[in-house]
Each structure stands twice: as structure tokens, then as C-alpha cells.
């Protein structure tokens, strides 16, 4: 088997699309929109599309929601990454993030897993992603943080 190319680049001023299926839940769509906002904060408002960035995109989705997304992810990687229980069911609140063909893929086992994966990337960007600690989320929600309240409501 040929070694997979694991490169994904984002650069100021170059477009990086964030795509989710229309069939996704509102929570996933909101998280994707927050990621778009964070990308603009980090990489700037002006996003130009050119040949070098034509494939620069982030695809986020929940396994089992979109046939197109499921076909892209396949079955081997989720199994290899431990997203399945011994009984063959998907683990709750799990996700995997990886690069495939120049695209960053975030695949969640359920809506929470997908949202966690998206906000993990937001946290890596250094803009959002309050915390994975429930105590931090509770404190941030009491202070009026919308994203923290959304996480608690899930």
C-alpha cells in the first residue's frame, strides 16, 4: 500500500472552504460556521481562490448522515482509529481528524463527536474552543459565552 500524503496547508489570503452536509444537525452547522469565523480571524477576511489552494478545504461530518461523506471516509480508517465498539457499533462522542488528498477531514461518530472535532481544530487555531473540561464550560457559560452554553445544551 502506498504511503498516504499527509499535508494540509492554510495560508493567509488563500481560500479554505469548510463544508458540511445540509443533512447535518444544527449543532454541527453552527460549529462549522464558528470554524469559518475563526479561520477568518486567523487568516484574514480576503480569501482568494487560486490553483494552489483549489483543494484546500475542510470537510466535517457525522458518520451515517451523508452517503457522500461516508464514502469519502470509508470504513478502514474509523476501524483502525478505534471508533467502533467491540459489538460493531460506533463509539459515542468520538471523532477522527486526518488529511486525505490535501483536505482536512473531521469525521464524528455522532453529532457531539463531530462538534468536538470541529472545536478541537478551532482550539488548535488558538481562537475558540473554550475547553474540554466541563468545569471550564460551566464557568464560561455563566459568563455568557454562547459556544460554552451550546456545548452544555448538547
Amino acid at each position: 500500500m502506498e504511503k498516504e500524503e499527509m499535508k494540509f496547508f492554510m495560508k493567509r489570503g488563500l481560500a479554505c472552504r469548510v463544508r458540511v452536509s445540509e443533512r447535518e444537525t444544527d449543532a454541527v452547522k453552527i460549529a462549522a460556521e464558528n470554524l469559518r469565523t475563526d479561520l477568518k480571524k486567523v487568516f484574514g477576511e480576503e480569501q482568494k481562490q487560486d490553483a494552489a489552494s483549489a483543494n484546500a478545504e475542510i470537510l466535517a461530518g457525522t458518520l451515517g448522515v451523508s452517503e457522500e461523506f461516508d464514502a469519502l471516509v470509508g470504513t478502514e480508517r474509523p476501524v483502525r482509529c478505534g471508533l467502533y465498539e467491540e459489538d460493531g457499533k460506533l463509539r459515542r462522542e468520538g471523532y477522527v481528524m486526518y488529511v486525505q488528498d490535501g483536505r482536512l477531514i473531521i469525521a464524528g461518530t455522532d453529532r457531539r463527536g463531530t462538534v468536538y472535532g470541529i472545536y478541537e481544530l478551532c482550539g488548535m487555531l488558538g481562537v475558540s474552543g473554550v475547553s474540554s473540561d466541563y468545569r471550564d464550560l460551566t464557568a464560561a457559560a455563566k459568563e455568557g459565552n454562547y459556544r460554552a452554553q451550546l456545548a452544555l445544551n448538547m
Side-chain angles (χ1 to χ4, degrees):
M1 186 163 120
E2 191 175 312
K3 188 172 180 178
E4 193 174 337
E5 190 67 30
M6 298 294 286
K7 294 181 181 178
F8 178 78
F9 297 99
M10 293 183 283
K11 184 177 178 184
R12 180 173 285 285
L14 294 181
C16 180
R17 292 182 304 239
V18 177
R19 292 190 332 168
V20 297
S21 169
E22 286 298 318
R23 297 178 66 195
E24 286 291 348
T25 63
D26 287 342
V28 171
K29 290 176 185 176
I30 290 168
E33 189 57 40
N34 288 336
L35 175 58
R36 288 182 191 100
T37 299
D38 290 354
L39 288 169
K40 286 179 185 176
K41 288 177 183 176
V42 172
F43 296 104
E45 288 288 333
E46 292 297 317
Q47 298 291 306
K48 300 171 192 153
Q49 189 75 32
D50 69 3
S53 66
N55 206 24
E57 65 183 343
I58 299 168
L59 303 176
T62 306
L63 297 172
V65 170
S66 163
E67 290 178 14
E68 179 184 349
F69 186 75
D70 288 353
L72 174 72
V73 173
T75 56
E76 182 181 326
R77 188 176 308 270
V79 170
R80 201 173 58 214
C81 292
L83 295 182
Y84 284 91
E85 300 282 358
E86 289 180 14
D87 63 3
K89 293 182 181 177
L90 287 167
R91 291 185 185 275
R92 293 182 57 203
E93 302 176 2
Y95 71 91
V96 61
M97 187 182 317
Y98 64 96
V99 176
Q100 178 178 312
D101 300 325
R103 296 179 286 193
L104 183 64
I105 311 292
I106 302 170
T109 58
D110 55 22
R111 70 182 174 118
R112 286 184 179 199
T114 306
V115 169
Y116 290 155
I118 292 170
Y119 283 136
E120 177 67 20
L121 179 57
C122 291
M124 288 178 193
L125 292 170
V127 179
S128 66
V130 175
S131 173
S132 59
D133 189 313
Y134 185 81
R135 295 166 295 187
D136 294 339
L137 286 172
T138 303
K142 285 181 182 177
E143 293 172 2
N145 184 304
Y146 173 76
R147 292 180 186 180
Q149 188 59 55
L150 177 68
L152 291 173
N153 290 342
M154 288 176 44

